[in-house]
Amino acid sequence: MHEFDADRVAEAADAALVAYPHKAAAGAVRELRSRGLKVVDLSADFRLARDAYEHWYQPHEAPELLGEAVYGLPEINEHRDQIRGAGLVAGPGCNSTAALLGLWPLREHLRDAIVEPGLAYPLWGADHYFRTADVPRVLARLIAFLVERQCFVV
């Protein structure tokens, strides 16, 4: 194990996968991006809007990079072109990935289901919303919506 050295990484690679914990990745990502590397970050540091990130974590350490970050789940076709050309990809969290992949086939039916502020979060992937969400209520509403519109989840 070596201590992080952005110059050393830049000499050896064109891209980097940053797997630091939330709140610790932004500085490393900034250093790697300033050296021209493409970066995939697996923390929450670039997947949330600044206000949401600062609400849940701390002041953002690299807010200047938020505008270039692309939320990337390559299994979803609509994300692939954005990911392909991005210099910084924010990998979705585990809860977000599970929710997105599970609900993606139903997206056309679900567009009208999201009528209450906050319901979109547990349905569409802000994984830290689960800290306060009433998940059973959300799932019950989702099931009722799908049954009412004769969409069947198998």
Side-chain angles (χ1 to χ4, degrees), residues 103 112-125 129 133-135 137-142:
L103 294 172
D112 296 331
I114 303 170
V115 294
E116 289 183 33
L119 267 184
Y121 288 92
L123 293 179
W124 295 115
Y129 185 77
D134 181 353
V135 176
R137 183 179 142 270
V138 170
L139 292 176
R141 285 197 41 129
L142 173 59

Side-chain angles (χ1 to χ4, degrees), residues 3 10 23-24 29 33 47 49 56 70 76-77 93 96 99 107 109 121 127 133 143 147:
E3 193 167 319
K23 305 187 289 186
V29 170
R33 289 295 299 134
R47 75 172 81 122
W56 290 108
V70 172
I76 295 177
N77 290 335
S96 301
R107 67 190 174 279
H109 301 291
Y121 288 92
D127 54 1
I143 291 166
V147 168

Side-chain angles (χ1 to χ4, degrees), residues 46-77:
F46 294 97
R47 75 172 81 122
L48 301 173
R50 184 176 183 177
D51 60 336
Y53 178 85
E54 292 181 352
H55 171 77
W56 290 108
Y57 296 105
Q58 65 185 17
H60 203 283
E61 293 184 27
E64 72 279 5
L65 296 178
L66 289 170
E68 77 173 78
V70 172
Y71 186 81
L73 186 59
E75 291 83 355
I76 295 177
N77 290 335

Side-chain angles (χ1 to χ4, degrees), residues 38 70 77 79-87 89:
K38 292 189 177 221
V70 172
N77 290 335
H79 290 181
R80 288 184 190 151
D81 289 335
Q82 293 176 333
I83 293 168
R84 190 175 291 116
V89 176

